[in-house]
Amino acid sequence: MATLLHRLGALAARRPIAVLLAWLVVVAAAVGGATTLSRPLSNEFEIPDSEFGRVLDHLGEVIPEVAGGTGTVVVHSADGFTAEQCSALRDTIEEWEQLPHVTAVVDPFALQSRLDGSDRRLARAERRLRDGQDDHDAGRARLAGLEAFLAENPDAATPEVEQQVAEGRARLARAEQRLDDGWDEVRTAGALRAAGSGVSFVSDDRTTALVQVRFDTDTQQLDPAVLERVPETGASLSDAGVEADYGQELTMSREVGGIGEVVGVAVAGVVLLVMLGSLVLAGLPLAIALVGVGVSLATGLATTHWISLQQMAPVLGMMLGLAVGIDYALFIVNRHRRQLGDLVDGGVDLDRDQVRASIALATGTAGSAVVVAGTTVVIALAALAVSGIPTLLQMGLLAASTVAVTVMVSLTLTPALLSLVGRRAAPRRRRTSSATAPRAPWPQRWVGLVTRRPRAAAALVTLVMVVLAVPALSMRLGLPDGSSEPQDSTAYRAYERVATSFGPGANGPLLLSADYGSPVAQDDLVAEQARIARAVLAVDDRVSVLPIGTSEDRRTIAFQVVPAEGPSAESTLELVEGLRRLAAGDSLRETSWLHLHGLIGDANPTGRDLLGDDVELGLTGATVANIEVSERLAGALPLYLAMVIGLSLVLLAVVFRSILVPLVATAGFLLSVGASFGAIVAVYQWGWLGSLFDVHDPSAVFSFMPTLLIGILFGLAMDYQMFLVSGMHEAYVHGRDARTAVREGFSSGARVVAAAALIMVSVFSGFIYAEMTMARSIGFGLAVGVLLDAFLVRMTFTPAVLSLLGDRAWWLPRWLDRLLPNLDVEGAALAERLAAREQSGEGVEETERERELVTVG
């Protein structure tokens, strides 16, 4: 591979203008395609064969008015709504109803009036029944008196009188039956109203109201331009003194970049300037990264003409593409610059051919490591297919294609630009004074300290990483809701006002369907609604249950269930679990040890006890969808982690011809992943350092984060492993003892790895304050993971353990050595080819320059 890349680098160095023009054409084509073909990004998280999807599709067929998407508008008047403000709201509601895809807009005051009216009607019915009961009791008393009189005076009991008494008894019996039926209806209606008593659309102080804008499809599937029309139309409410805030589903940001990302790239530029000492060379890796990201993201956006692209996918691609693009170009530039520096120190007066030879050699050696590292990242991200979740696969494939394009740009455009830079890439000649010995560089001092106390170093790193990983044991997964939006956003204000005025559960109601095998009789409909409501109320962590629709054939009844807390709260997850147990006919709560041993009574009914066998329940809604998505992702995580670990062991065994080196690298990777997860939980779930990282409402961790972080961090960790340990292996193969090989290999690669890690941390940190909430925890996790993996695992733990292992670190059975392919990452085959060319006299002048570069490189 090194030989092939050497030829590619030489070609690009000889034809830099052609290479540059070729990439400009590619960039122009990609941008043109994105401009003409791209369509809006999607906010939908697609999960095949999901239960919530099945229930939602069923409701869409039988009760379509409850199955479409709903957007929430929270209107507020500090002093209470006036008649003029209510009129302005009605006018705006009429305008909203004319918008595309809007099927209905619920007037909160009219709906609240109907709810309040039902209470009044129920109270009037109770009064009429009590009056009727009083009349019935009075009639019964009169009849009893007449019967007593006739018993004392038999002569008065004429046939006519007896007939009147019998008719009186019959009328009283019929009246009593009507009263009993009436009381049953009132009790049923009362129970149903009590079940929905927590539901309201206007606050008690009449300062806040909820407007529901109903669409003909899920809001995640609608064009953002359609959703944006809602707040645009509602802007006129401010003229009437009404404040309007819009829920997350109407305003979720689809922006790909922001000021934080720009700052991150700027910091990376500063690191490059310090590392390379030249503005021109510092700008070169940035240019490579921007070209790679630009081509891949523009191409990805162009594909939205045919496929739906989740809005998180371009963010992830940009995040990863910027980081690896800068790093991969840096590795090649730094190798080339170091080679030129050695020639300059040797007194060589550089010419164009020597510069080109150095570029070719840097591409063949450092480029080989770039190819292996990039391939590792691509495979790890493509392996997300094992999750069976299309959205996750989509994110992985776009990120993988970004990395692949960035590798190609690094291997072709980097040597071309270096050729144009020419001799300016060479550092100034280094001078040393004979009077005083020069101080050893920091990599030599650090690796010397680590290898002198390897047990202490390895133990300390392990302890720190394990302590950081402890919070990960309590990780909860979920998707972001309005509480995670920026505090100055309309979505956050809407969430807070709903939680304050109507309870936090009103931000994430559940949708429940009750399906019957045969139609429910019209006279029994209210009773059935009350029966289902009573069963749901037996489950903990709910506030109210309200019937919201019935199918035309009366085989399906839909209910809204309001949780006690917000959509991402742990109690809401427990509510969903309880409703699932109710639907399955199981005990509503987990049976305790006390129940099993009869120490407390049976206060744990089953779903079968409450519902019988004639009804089937189903759950759906955005909150249920988020929970099911998180469960599916958590279920796919172990298989994916096992695949990544297996890939790590095989890849490193091939590259380093060793059994123990892959095991050490994989152990370090697991430490990094655990510590990263722990840091994420501590900040985003527990709220530690929340003010620093703008975490104002801690909640569940973004459910896609663990899987994505494992794949990306694995690829980046193998990058650093490759660039550090390959030098150690090369020194060992050339006859150094094990400990010396560790020190020499570390010293040769630590500086560039440290710079690369700082660059990645800078880029990833730029996403911590991104406009898109979902990108924040991923950016934080990757920044922490790279920082810990590079400086603690690769630059401390790994040299310490390899120093302890000694020669055993590089042992490989002969039979396995014959089976494993030889990738020639360290360029040994390239050196042999150059030596063979020198001996044969082919290209003597060019070969001498290349041999000299191999020697100094």
Side-chain angles (χ1 to χ4, degrees):
M1 180 169 61
T3 301
L4 178 62
L5 294 176
H6 177 271
R7 292 172 180 167
L8 178 64
L11 176 62
R14 288 195 303 270
R15 301 286 187 271
I17 301 300
V19 173
L20 182 60
L21 290 176
W23 277 113
L24 287 176
V25 170
V26 172
V27 170
V31 172
T35 303
T36 57
L37 299 176
S38 65
R39 291 182 176 178
L41 300 176
S42 167
N43 187 39
E44 183 180 11
F45 292 101
E46 182 183 354
I47 303 292
D49 302 323
S50 62
E51 177 64 16
F52 76 84
R54 182 193 66 79
V55 175
L56 189 63
D57 291 343
H58 170 63
L59 286 175
E61 294 174 357
V62 297
I63 318 178
E65 62 270 19
V66 305
T70 300
T72 300
V73 182
V74 184
V75 290
H76 178 76
S77 178
D79 299 323
F81 287 95
T82 63
E84 291 78 10
Q85 290 173 333
C86 291
S87 175
L89 179 60
R90 284 193 294 271
D91 293 341
T92 304
I93 287 175
E94 291 178 358
E95 294 181 45
W96 278 332
E97 289 176 334
Q98 304 305 313
L99 295 179
H101 298 280
V102 174
T103 59
V105 181
V106 179
D107 185 335
F109 296 100
L111 183 56
Q112 189 65 47
S113 177
R114 288 198 297 271
L115 290 175
D116 296 340
S118 66
D119 292 338
R120 292 191 293 269
R121 288 191 297 273
L122 186 62
R124 287 197 299 269
E126 289 180 351
R127 286 196 299 271
R128 286 196 299 270
L129 283 172
R130 283 195 295 269
D131 293 342
Q133 186 69 53
D134 292 342
D135 293 341
H136 176 271
D137 293 342
R140 181 173 290 283
R142 289 193 298 270
L143 181 61
L146 178 60
E147 289 176 337
F149 172 79
L150 294 176
E152 295 176 357
N153 303 280
D155 295 339
T158 63
E160 291 81 2
V161 172
E162 290 287 352
Q163 182 177 358
Q164 291 175 357
V165 169
E167 290 176 354
R169 291 195 191 100
R171 284 196 298 272
L172 284 173
R174 290 193 297 272
E176 184 172 3
Q177 182 61 48
R178 287 196 298 271
L179 283 171
D180 290 342
D181 293 342
W183 281 115
D184 286 342
E185 291 178 3
V186 166
R187 282 192 290 269
T188 298
L192 195 58
R193 183 66 187 100
S197 60
V199 176
S200 62
F201 295 88
V202 179
S203 62
D204 294 338
D205 59 5
R206 291 185 62 82
T207 61
T208 306
L210 290 179
V211 180
Q212 291 185 342
V213 182
R214 295 176 178 172
F215 299 92
D216 56 9
T217 187
D218 196 311
T219 55
Q220 294 180 343
Q221 300 177 4
L222 288 173
D223 187 332
V226 172
L227 300 177
E228 289 168 2
R229 294 283 300 279
V230 176
E232 289 172 0
T233 305
S236 60
L237 287 171
S238 60
D239 297 336
V242 177
E243 299 175 29
D245 288 303
Y246 302 87
Q248 182 191 38
E249 65 282 353
L250 294 174
T251 61
M252 181 172 286
S253 171
R254 289 167 170 82
E255 296 295 328
V256 175
I259 186 64
E261 294 88 319
V262 174
V263 172
V265 173
V267 174
V270 173
V271 175
L272 287 169
L273 182 59
V274 173
M275 173 72 184
L276 300 175
S278 164
L279 283 173
V280 174
L281 292 181
L284 196 149
L286 292 174
I288 297 301
L290 292 176
V291 170
V293 170
V295 169
S296 56
L297 291 193
T299 304
L301 292 175
T303 63
T304 58
H305 187 79
W306 299 279
I307 63 174
S308 175
L309 187 64
Q310 216 286 331
Q311 63 170 343
M312 186 62 199
V315 176
L316 184 65
M318 182 172 68
M319 187 187 302
L320 190 55
L322 286 173
V324 301
I326 294 172
D327 277 8
Y328 291 168
L330 172 62
F331 292 138
I332 297 174
V333 171
N334 182 71
R335 181 63 180 258
H336 171 58
R337 188 169 181 270
R338 193 177 69 188
Q339 292 168 173
L340 294 183
D342 289 336
L343 291 176
V344 170
D345 290 344
V348 176
D349 188 14
L350 297 176
D351 59 23
R352 185 180 62 179
D353 292 336
Q354 287 170 322
V355 172
R356 289 179 176 176
S358 176
I359 294 171
L361 183 61
T363 307
T365 51
S368 297
V370 166
V371 170
V372 173
T375 302
T376 304
V377 180
V378 169
I379 294 174
L381 292 171
L384 290 170
V386 302
S387 66
I389 299 174
T391 300
L392 190 59
L393 175 60
Q394 190 181 84
M395 292 181 184
L397 289 180
L398 182 57
S401 65
T402 302
V403 174
V405 171
T406 302
V407 170
M408 290 188 288
V409 175
S410 299
L411 295 175
T412 54
L413 190 56
T414 302
L417 293 178
L418 286 175
S419 180
L420 294 176
V421 172
R423 288 178 292 180
R424 287 175 293 172
R428 293 180 180 179
R429 183 173 181 178
R430 296 181 286 256
R431 293 181 175 86
T432 59
S433 173
S434 58
T436 58
R439 189 183 182 189
W442 70 263
Q444 294 181 16
R445 299 197 304 272
W446 178 252
V447 74
L449 175 63
V450 169
T451 54
R452 282 196 301 271
R453 299 287 187 272
R455 289 183 176 83
L460 182 60
V461 169
T462 303
L463 177 63
V464 170
M465 302 294 269
V466 169
V467 170
L468 288 174
V470 168
L473 298 175
S474 63
M475 181 186 291
R476 290 190 300 109
L477 300 181
L479 294 177
D481 54 32
S483 66
S484 59
E485 293 292 320
Q487 285 183 296
D488 59 350
S489 66
T490 183
Y492 182 80
R493 290 194 300 269
Y495 185 94
E496 284 296 297
R497 280 181 171 163
V498 169
T500 301
S501 301
F502 307 100
N507 281 298
L510 316 181
L511 189 58
L512 182 142
S513 66
D515 293 293
Y516 295 82
S518 57
V520 178
Q522 184 66 49
D523 294 340
D524 297 335
L525 185 59
V526 175
E528 277 301 311
Q529 291 174 339
R531 183 169 76 96
I532 300 299
R534 281 193 295 268
V536 173
L537 289 175
V539 182
D540 294 334
D541 303 310
R542 79 288 169 277
V543 171
S544 59
V545 187
L546 185 70
I548 57 174
T550 304
S551 63
E552 291 185 2
D553 60 2
R554 296 191 302 280
R555 289 175 180 266
T556 302
I557 306 174
F559 296 83
Q560 177 180 281
V561 182
V562 178
E565 296 186 271
S568 59
E570 192 168 2
S571 64
T572 304
L573 175 60
E574 294 172 355
L575 169 62
V576 172
E577 289 298 324
L579 291 174
R580 287 170 175 171
R581 288 193 289 268
L582 175 68
D586 299 333
S587 298
L588 298 190
R589 303 167 193 86
E590 293 184 3
T591 304
S592 68
W593 180 85
L594 295 173
H595 278 106
L596 289 174
H597 291 80
L599 299 180
I600 60 175
D602 185 11
N604 191 10
T606 67
R608 191 176 300 276
D609 296 334
L610 297 169
L611 296 174
D613 298 324
D614 60 337
V615 62
E616 178 183 345
L617 299 185
L619 272 176
T620 188
T623 300
V624 176
N626 292 351
I627 291 173
E628 192 168 341
V629 167
S630 301
E631 290 172 342
R632 291 281 290 273
L633 286 166
L637 190 60
L639 175 61
Y640 181 64
L641 181 59
M643 286 192 61
V644 168
I645 291 174
L647 173 64
S648 170
L649 295 174
V650 172
L651 175 72
L652 295 179
V654 171
V655 172
F656 297 117
R657 327 300 293 179
S658 167
I659 295 294
L660 293 180
V661 168
L663 293 175
V664 173
T666 303
F669 163 69
L670 293 176
L671 288 175
S672 300
V673 168
S676 300
F677 285 176
I680 290 171
V681 170
V683 172
Y684 290 91
Q685 185 175 315
W686 292 359
W688 291 7
L689 302 176
S691 58
L692 178 62
F693 296 105
D694 195 26
V695 181
H696 42 78
D697 289 73
S699 61
V701 172
F702 178 42
S703 52
F704 284 81
M705 186 279 304
T707 307
L708 292 173
L709 189 141
I710 285 175
I712 297 172
L713 190 57
F714 165 74
L716 302 181
M718 294 307 105
D719 285 0
Y720 303 139
Q721 182 78 9
M722 202 79 62
F723 287 104
L724 276 177
V725 181
S726 60
M728 301 176 189
H729 183 240
E730 184 177 3
Y732 182 78
V733 169
H734 286 84
R736 300 292 193 274
D737 65 84
R739 178 167 292 189
T740 302
V742 168
R743 291 178 175 177
E744 289 189 1
F746 183 91
S747 299
S748 66
R751 190 167 178 266
V752 68
V753 167
L758 291 176
I759 289 169
M760 285 204 176
V761 170
S762 301
V763 173
F764 292 146
S765 297
F767 289 84
I768 294 176
Y769 304 97
E771 181 73 17
M772 187 179 296
T773 304
M774 291 179 290
R776 296 184 173 191
S777 61
I778 294 180
F780 175 82
L782 288 174
V784 171
V786 168
L787 188 67
L788 296 175
D789 189 85
F791 290 99
L792 290 186
V793 173
R794 306 303 155 191
M795 300 177 68
T796 306
F797 178 81
T798 298
V801 174
L802 294 183
S803 179
L804 280 173
L805 291 174
D807 293 334
R808 292 169 295 177
W810 311 107
W811 174 79
L812 183 71
R814 292 183 179 178
W815 62 268
L816 185 57
D817 186 50
R818 291 192 298 269
L819 289 177
L820 295 177
N822 188 355
L823 298 181
D824 188 30
V825 176
E826 293 149 11
L830 174 60
E832 292 176 3
R833 184 183 70 85
L834 295 176
R837 287 177 59 186
E838 183 179 11
Q839 292 175 1
S840 65
E842 177 188 354
V844 175
E845 184 178 352
E846 180 182 357
T847 302
E848 286 178 353
R849 295 191 186 97
E850 292 174 331
R851 288 288 297 168
E852 184 177 20
L853 287 168
V854 170
T855 301
V856 300

